[in-house]
Amino acid sequence: MISELSGKLFIGGGWKTGVGARIAVLNPATGESIGEIAASTADEINEAVAAARAAFRGWADLPAKARSGALHRLGDAIAADADGMARIMTMEQGKPLNEARGEILKLAEACHFYAEEAVRVHGEIVPGDTTDHHSLVIREPIGVVGAITPWNYPAELVGWKLCASLAAGCTIVIKPADLTPFTALAIARKVEEAKIPAGVVNVITGPGSVVGQALVEHPGVDKIAFTGSSSVGLRIQQSATTVKRMSLELGGNCPMIVTESADLDAAVKGAVRRSFRNMGQICIAINRVYVARPIYEAFLAKVKVAAEALTIGNGLDKPDADLGAMASADPLAKTKEHLGDALAKGARLVTGGAAPEGEAFARGHFFRPTVVADCTHAMKVMSEETFGPLLGVAPYDGLDEAIARANDTPYGLASYVYAKDMDEVRYLTTRLDYGNVAVNNVDAGVMNAPYGGRKQSGVGYEHGREGMLEYFNFKHIRIRHDEPKGR
Ligand code: NDP
């Protein structure tokens, strides 16, 4: 399947062999090349935007039920090929096959969720400011969306933008990350199978600084839907050459607070899952934990055991491993840098700190889940986004101290609380300056509720009804009525 997608672009409902330079795509578990992508040229980018523009009016004017049906068909096509698509994802991203399959099924779920939302796009009738006027407020699709996505969740992060756009009546040009382009191209295959009209969905490939940037600056693109690092998000916001709508889902440095009333085992399980899953390459990964001092050492002892119990392997050979390879050399290097920084500044190594040993790990980007204790905010692990399997832990002496430390970051994506005392829960959840707060669970992002960051973690929302609102303009229609003749 990957060989069929190698060097291809999906534009105007058809597959083209890109004419631009080739970029190799590597399997991060082995270092082997699995295929190559084409760096889209300026002509190809223009062609994709023009195809999306040409398809827009027809797609927007379809009855909502027709767009809904198309999204249901897309969800079915994706779910039916979950195994094949998961294989592609594991080969390019490194996560274990079972986890990749779970992500593909969540993409299918997003298709069905927004298929249902598509038929519930309501407006409002607003009472007039005078008795002879009334106002209609209706929602209209923005137009052509440029979607730019990262490599950590190559299916879902494309899917949220794709599904909400299509449900709203927008058309889309997708530029996936160079590290994980084949999942997006495989989604385009399913778009074809679902018989979504030509030009409604287009996928182009190539380096973000060139191809992504061209979408940002393109006058034919009405909205940019971006997920990625805060630095690139800021650059995108600053470099648009025309006014356009933007949603920016950016980086995080997510805290967890464990109070004395918490179920300690549940807190440990949650911390280990949300810190190390996908090798910590999650925007809402728990990066740092603040634990009430009386239970601090007990927490560390249990976290050590739980982290050491996680299995690591080549995700293709060991589909049910807990962890696979990291996606590339860069996040691994950053993890080592943050670990070195913490140890140099006095942190205590609780577990991990090195790559797993053995021939199976010799050529891939592997690292053991690592926990450091007694951390301070002078350490990068407690203030910067590591995006790797490194967790910093520190004790606290009062809730206000925990809150102040948790909020001491330029980010505001997700935070986590483990506490049984409802007074503590209320106090903490109202004071944590984050777009998402998960209490006694670690699933801060679910399909039916808005998901978005504050501060340097971005603007706008994905998921839920709010996620779809990002793809609409409101139109106010103010109507004056005369007294009917011959009344
Ligand atoms: P990057 O910001 O490096 O890249 C994201 C995407 O932007 C890629 O497709 C990249 O292309 C492209 N890109 C790079 N430069 C430009 C540019 N100048 N103009 C337009 N597009 C550009 O992020 P990563 O891929 O490294 O992803 C990790 C980051 O994503 C982390 O910070 C993480 O927190 C964040 N993230 C946020 C989420 C959220 O919901 N808030 C969810 C998941 C991840 P290419 O790579 O091909 O060069």
Side-chain angles (χ1 to χ4, degrees):
M1 178 79 161
I2 284 185
S3 60
E4 291 163 23
L5 300 173
S6 232
K8 292 290 194 299
L9 309 173
F10 185 67
I11 299 178
W15 291 94
K16 296 175 189 287
T17 302
V19 300
R22 292 301 193 257
I23 301 164
V25 181
L26 307 178
N27 179 337
T30 62
E32 288 159 4
S33 171
I34 57 168
E36 54 186 23
I37 52 167
S40 301
T41 63
D43 285 347
E44 288 162 340
I45 298 166
N46 287 336
E47 204 187 327
V49 174
R53 174 64 56 199
F56 171 61
R57 201 62 268 161
W59 180 249
D61 285 348
L62 278 181
K65 216 171 166 185
R67 288 197 302 274
S68 171
L71 276 167
H72 277 307
R73 291 196 302 277
L74 181 59
D76 289 343
I78 288 168
D81 191 20
D83 289 341
M85 292 180 74
R87 224 180 143 70
I88 291 173
M89 194 195 300
T90 294
M91 285 175 78
E92 64 183 7
Q93 203 274 347
K95 67 181 68 176
L97 208 47
N98 286 358
E99 207 174 304
R101 189 170 188 280
E103 186 183 336
I104 296 293
L105 292 176
K106 282 177 87 176
L107 166 64
E109 183 193 329
C111 294
H112 294 302
F113 180 88
Y114 280 113
E116 288 166 11
E117 287 301 311
V119 293
R120 295 186 194 124
V121 178
H122 300 159
E124 246 189 310
I125 300 173
V126 180
D129 49 346
T130 62
T131 50
D132 54 352
H133 286 85
H134 82 277
S135 290
L136 308 181
V137 181
I138 63 167
R139 293 170 194 182
E140 293 184 333
I142 285 178
V144 174
V145 174
I148 304 172
T149 56
W151 43 263
N152 59 335
Y153 283 89
E156 283 191 276
L157 294 173
V158 167
W160 302 342
K161 297 163 185 64
L162 168 70
C163 298
S165 294
L166 265 53
C170 295
T171 56
I172 191 165
V173 179
I174 299 163
K175 204 303 286 177
D178 272 5
L179 288 180
T180 57
F182 291 123
T183 302
L185 290 166
I187 293 171
R189 271 275 167 88
K190 302 302 154 194
V191 165
E192 241 186 333
E193 265 178 58
K195 300 207 176 350
I196 291 175
V200 170
V201 180
N202 307 272
V203 181
I204 57 176
T205 54
S209 55
V210 180
V211 181
Q213 191 64 41
L215 286 178
V216 171
E217 294 176 18
H218 204 296
V221 172
D222 301 300
K223 178 204 159 92
I224 291 293
F226 172 79
T227 301
S229 58
S230 296
S231 57
V232 173
L234 180 61
R235 192 192 144 79
I236 286 176
Q237 198 174 45
Q238 291 172 336
S239 63
T241 48
T242 54
V243 173
K244 58 184 65 169
R245 285 272 291 276
M246 289 197 181
S247 42
L248 305 171
E249 300 289 343
L250 309 177
N253 180 294
C254 304
M256 176 185 191
I257 296 175
V258 183
T259 76
E260 229 183 312
S261 74
D263 174 338
L264 195 56
D265 289 330
V268 166
K269 195 171 166 207
V272 166
R273 178 180 142 93
R274 189 49 75 228
S275 298
F276 300 125
R277 197 162 180 224
N278 203 18
M279 288 300 261
Q281 302 163 125
I282 314 183
C283 50
I284 54 169
I286 295 170
N287 305 102
R288 49 202 169 102
V289 186
Y290 304 97
V291 186
R293 195 176 293 276
I295 56 168
Y296 180 61
E297 290 300 336
F299 178 87
L300 288 173
K302 284 176 185 276
V303 157
K304 174 177 160 61
V305 172
E308 288 174 0
L310 294 172
T311 55
I312 312 179
N314 177 332
L316 277 186
D317 302 341
K318 297 206 176 333
D320 59 351
D322 293 309
L323 309 172
M326 297 185 76
S328 75
D330 288 349
L332 176 54
K334 198 171 178 195
T335 303
K336 289 179 181 169
E337 183 209 326
H338 283 198
L339 173 62
D341 171 76
L343 295 177
K345 290 173 181 162
R348 169 171 40 127
L349 183 66
V350 176
T351 185
E357 286 167 9
E359 183 54 24
F361 305 110
R363 280 170 296 282
H365 307 298
F366 292 96
F367 205 68
R368 282 164 55 204
T370 299
V371 180
V372 282
D374 309 340
C375 293
T376 69
H377 276 222
M379 300 170 188
K380 290 180 181 179
V381 64
M382 303 302 268
S383 56
E384 294 180 20
E385 184 179 50
T386 306
F387 227 58
L390 175 63
L391 175 66
V393 190
Y396 74 81
D397 289 308
L399 285 189
D400 288 336
E401 183 194 343
I403 293 164
R405 292 226 212 139
N407 287 339
D408 178 24
T409 168
Y411 297 110
L413 190 53
S415 55
Y416 302 85
V417 170
Y418 271 77
K420 284 290 182 198
D421 180 326
M422 287 312 287
D423 293 336
E424 288 180 340
V425 168
R426 183 177 152 79
Y427 195 77
L428 290 167
T429 53
T430 52
R431 283 162 179 77
L432 285 167
D433 193 8
Y434 288 84
N436 311 269
V437 187
V439 180
N440 296 327
N441 76 88
V442 289
D443 295 315
V446 290
M447 200 57 217
N448 51 351
Y451 167 79
R454 299 178 176 181
K455 302 188 322 194
Q456 299 310 301
S457 291
V459 289
Y461 295 91
E462 296 197 292
H463 288 185
R465 291 193 168 160
E466 293 80 358
M468 201 166 149
L469 282 180
E470 298 283 334
Y471 296 89
F472 287 121
N473 284 321
F474 289 111
K475 181 181 272 176
H476 170 207
I477 304 171
R478 183 163 183 262
I479 304 174
R480 189 178 78 85
H481 303 276
D482 288 328
E483 290 291 322
K485 289 194 177 76
R487 183 176 153 221

